Amino acid sequence: MKIKYNTEMISGAVFALTGGALWFLIPSQIATKETSSINAQTIPRIAIGGMFIFAVCLLIEGLLSSEKKELIISREAFGSENFKREMRSILYALFLVAYCFMIKPLGFLLSTVILVIAVMLYYGTRKWYYYVIPLGMVGVVYYVFSVLLHVNLP
């Protein structure tokens, strides 16, 4: 099976759908009792509206572009280096999704430390001192927000 596509089409479609969904979710997620034209929903609506407009422009650009990649789906394609690279990226995204679910029950500090260590191990970091910088930054962020700014982290 052959599929012709380009990255502008895919990213434009994904962000247009995301922007449309977020636009309709704003009233339920940002409740306000203000009746003026500028309220708590204004800035999110501007940002999401801009995202939607630019995503549609990107989608149109991708549709009108003559340069398209051809994807041939076969058994050999699943063993290729490009497929493996894409799977690594998808697995990294799954790490981030797992982090989103871990942060509430485990808290910011523990879940972020687990994420940092998991990502570093996944990408093959072997030297111990490469772990020090991101783990130190987790500690610094926690200290700044919790102690200095008195912001409760999950």
Side-chain angles (χ1 to χ4, degrees):
M1 181 165 81
K2 292 182 182 180
I3 300 172
K4 289 189 175 188
Y5 74 97
N6 60 20
T7 54
E8 286 84 7
M9 287 171 45
I10 294 171
S11 57
V14 166
F15 281 102
L17 290 172
T18 304
L22 289 174
W23 181 269
F24 290 110
L25 285 174
I26 286 176
S28 66
Q29 299 298 315
I30 306 173
T32 181
K33 294 181 181 178
E34 299 173 23
T35 57
S36 65
S37 60
I38 298 176
N39 56 32
Q41 296 177 353
T42 303
I43 299 297
R45 283 199 186 273
I46 291 171
I48 291 171
M51 181 178 83
F52 180 77
I53 289 169
F54 288 118
V56 169
C57 292
L58 191 62
L59 178 62
I60 292 169
E61 178 187 341
L63 291 172
L64 298 178
S65 173
S66 61
E67 184 180 320
K68 293 186 172 59
K69 295 178 185 175
E70 190 171 274
L71 176 65
I72 301 172
I73 299 175
S74 64
R75 280 191 194 269
E76 294 82 32
F78 290 109
S80 70
E81 195 61 38
N82 287 338
F83 181 76
K84 290 178 184 175
R85 193 170 344 133
E86 292 300 322
M87 286 298 107
R88 286 181 67 95
S89 299
I90 290 172
L91 192 56
Y92 177 73
L94 290 175
F95 279 170
L96 296 177
V97 169
Y99 173 73
C100 291
F101 287 111
M102 282 189 324
I103 200 163
K104 189 147 188 158
L106 298 180
F108 170 79
L109 193 59
L110 183 59
S111 58
T112 307
V113 166
I114 291 170
L115 175 71
V116 166
I117 292 172
V119 168
M120 299 285 278
L121 287 173
Y122 178 67
Y123 282 108
T125 307
R126 300 286 180 243
K127 297 179 181 171
W128 65 270
Y129 48 88
Y130 287 166
Y131 291 82
V132 172
I133 294 172
L135 291 173
M137 285 307 300
V138 170
V140 168
V141 167
Y142 182 77
Y143 179 77
V144 166
F145 279 93
S146 295
V147 177
L148 298 179
L149 298 176
H150 301 290
V151 174
N152 291 331
L153 295 173

